[in-house]
Amino acid sequence: MIVAIPFTHKSKRLSLQAALTVFIVLVTVLLVSILALNAWHARAEKIRETETNTSNMAKALAQHAEDTIGGIDNLLVSMEEMLERDSWNVQHLDRMNKFLRQRVTDLPLLHGLFVYDEHGQWVANSQETLRTDFNNADREYFIFHRTHTDSGPHLGPPIRSRSTGDWIITVSRRLKHADGNFAGVVLATIRMQYFTAYYKDFDIGKDGAILLASDSGTILVRRPFDEAVIGSDISKGPVYQLYKRQGASGTAILTAKIDHTERIYSYRHLDRYPLLIAVAQSTDEVLESWRNSTIRFAFFSAMLLFLLWLLGARLVHQITVRERAQSELRTARDDLERSNGELAALALLDSLTGLANRRRFDAALDDEFARAMRNQTPLALIMLDVDHFKKYNDRYGHPQGDECLKKICGVLKTATARTGDLVARYGGEEFVILLPGTDITGAAAIAERVRLSIQALNMEHATTPDGIVTISLGIASFIPQRQQNSPQQLIQQADQALYKAKEGGRNQSCSST
């Protein structure tokens, strides 16, 4: 029988200190997550709001450009019809000049109205004096109409007026003779200042931008105004590429090719004319108010978390002190229980040999006897005695006798490997081996193996016939029957068998009948 030494299991539950720490961490993570989520949603809402605003502005500006170009084109159509209906005589051209001057007076956005013949010479315009020393055959719009038979309006790139030096945008139509051949060009020039002044009324922030470009990617007007970029090609830029991918309208966050500023862009292509309008607001400016409010909110939240952690640290410290005291008490209790267990275990051990003592043997014998009776299994007992041990002590002394017993016990400890078997010191130089579930044959085999192992130690014993230390063994085994057998009968039978072994000359094992 194995006696377990009691010990205390550590609790698997979180201590109050750990639970509080976990709670504070969870609250912190939850609060930070909520703040981050709210901040992200606020940012997304701000961007969506800006996208809506820029999209509406792009729509309004596209309609404005549509109406402006449409009005100018209608005027060009009227001029075209007048010229193709009437002859180009001096009297008619004089009336045409007056008509053109009146139209420019009525429409301040116009820089001028012009009529060129097939060679590029000025034949009529809106100026007070008709200049005959200018020729515009080299202008882009003139070359376009001379080489194209399209009857629709043509919007040219921005240029400087040869007569005034102002930046202008050209809208022109092709004139043709009765046979359809090229007869010249009617031209309307729009003051670029008209668009820039109009665009200034839109709130797009300090770093915002408004862009009017042709289908070919040429910049016609841009706010903020910069002469260096007027007429530039943005066909490789992000806005134009977005237009190519997504079609007539769209919105996206892009970095401008011109000034490398990230903006929220909305663009729209005109329905009737080859123009693209784009409105953009700087991302930094749009998010500045969101960023400032987020920083303020984060600061106050950080202060709140700091106070929470400060309070938590104080509580954790108090809990730590209390748990340390409790831990010390538990340790002291465990040490005491461990000491008591060790003392209890020592009380069942023989102090010299380390084997079970007589008390433990008696308890084990009662338990195994009851179990064998209940299960109807054999129970065996081997009793052994060191031959002539008194003479050994007399000749070699008691200390040497103790060493002799220790060596014999070393053999006995390995006599059996089963957990239920028990080797005990019965008294003096007598030992017992209790073997549950073992019949007389199995017990005899174990006894003989023990005898031979001790004999093989060759410990000197000069007062014996063999000259070495030997043992005698008595073996008993039976299946206990209720109200017929008792543990003492097993001991008596083993003792009687031991007596027979001694009577038979010692250094042998005998079995009870």
Side-chain angles (χ1 to χ4, degrees), residues 467-489:
I468 58 174
V469 174
T470 59
I471 61 172
S472 298
L473 304 96
I475 308 157
S477 177
F478 58 76
I479 299 176
Q481 303 298 319
R482 193 174 302 278
Q483 297 181 349
Q484 295 183 24
N485 303 116
S486 67
Q488 280 303 119
Q489 286 180 328

Side-chain angles (χ1 to χ4, degrees), residues 264-492:
I264 302 171
Y265 279 88
S266 289
Y267 73 88
R268 183 173 290 272
H269 190 272
L270 273 62
D271 294 333
R272 292 186 296 157
Y273 301 102
L275 293 177
L276 185 72
I277 188 80
V279 180
Q281 288 186 257
S282 168
T283 307
D284 285 341
E285 284 187 331
V286 167
L287 297 177
E288 183 177 4
S289 61
W290 166 82
R291 191 161 43 243
N292 292 337
S293 63
T294 300
I295 290 174
R296 287 194 299 271
F297 199 62
F299 174 76
F300 289 119
S301 300
M303 293 297 296
L304 178 63
L305 287 175
F306 175 75
L307 293 176
L308 176 64
W309 277 92
L310 194 64
L311 177 62
R314 178 67 178 171
L315 290 176
V316 167
H317 175 70
Q318 295 296 330
I319 293 171
T320 302
V321 171
R322 190 186 71 178
E323 287 197 346
R324 185 182 297 118
Q326 291 179 345
S327 177
E328 291 174 354
L329 289 174
R330 286 194 297 268
T331 301
R333 182 196 64 194
D334 293 344
D335 290 343
L336 180 60
E337 291 179 352
R338 189 181 302 109
S339 297
N340 290 337
E342 291 174 354
L343 289 174
L346 290 174
L348 299 176
L349 295 178
D350 178 66
S351 59
L352 175 65
T353 62
L355 297 177
N357 60 14
R358 176 69 177 270
R359 180 188 301 174
R360 185 175 174 189
F361 167 73
D362 290 340
L365 177 61
D366 290 340
D367 291 341
E368 295 299 338
F369 194 89
R371 183 179 294 109
M373 182 182 297
R374 185 170 57 251
N375 298 333
Q376 284 298 286
T377 55
L379 178 64
L381 179 66
I382 301 173
M383 296 191 72
L384 61 99
D385 183 77
V386 180
D387 295 333
H388 302 294
F389 189 69
K390 184 178 182 305
K391 294 180 180 180
Y392 188 93
N393 279 334
D394 292 342
R395 182 175 181 86
Y396 299 102
H398 287 282
Q400 189 64 29
D402 290 344
E403 289 300 319
C404 175
L405 292 179
K406 289 179 181 180
K407 290 180 181 180
I408 291 174
C409 289
V411 173
L412 295 179
K413 288 177 181 179
T414 61
T416 176
R418 298 189 307 176
T419 55
D421 298 341
L422 177 70
V423 180
R425 187 179 183 186
Y426 195 71
E429 71 275 13
E430 288 186 314
F431 299 91
V432 289
I433 303 175
L434 185 62
L435 302 169
T438 306
D439 59 15
I440 195 70
T441 302
I446 293 173
E448 190 61 18
R449 186 169 64 247
V450 169
R451 185 186 70 80
L452 294 174
S453 297
I454 292 175
Q455 181 177 297
L457 292 177
N458 285 320
M459 290 186 291
E460 181 183 347
H461 192 347
T463 60
T464 64
D466 296 322
I468 58 174
V469 174
T470 59
I471 61 172
S472 298
L473 304 96
I475 308 157
S477 177
F478 58 76
I479 299 176
Q481 303 298 319
R482 193 174 302 278
Q483 297 181 349
Q484 295 183 24
N485 303 116
S486 67
Q488 280 303 119
Q489 286 180 328
L490 187 65
I491 295 174
Q492 289 172 0

Side-chain angles (χ1 to χ4, degrees), residues 117-180:
D117 64 13
E118 59 187 354
H119 304 293
Q121 292 298 126
W122 293 25
V123 295
N125 62 29
S126 58
Q127 297 176 357
E128 291 295 330
T129 303
L130 179 63
R131 301 286 298 271
T132 59
D133 55 336
F134 286 149
N135 185 287
N136 281 40
D138 61 336
R139 288 296 199 184
E140 183 274 340
Y141 55 83
F142 191 89
I143 297 172
F144 178 85
H145 288 302
R146 189 174 59 195
T147 57
H148 293 75
T149 59
D150 299 345
S151 60
H154 172 69
L155 281 75
I159 57 174
R160 281 189 179 275
S161 169
R162 281 179 173 161
S163 58
T164 64
D166 296 331
W167 278 102
I168 56 175
I169 298 173
T170 63
V171 182
S172 57
R173 278 183 171 268
R174 185 177 191 267
L175 295 174
K176 57 182 181 294
H177 292 297
D179 60 1

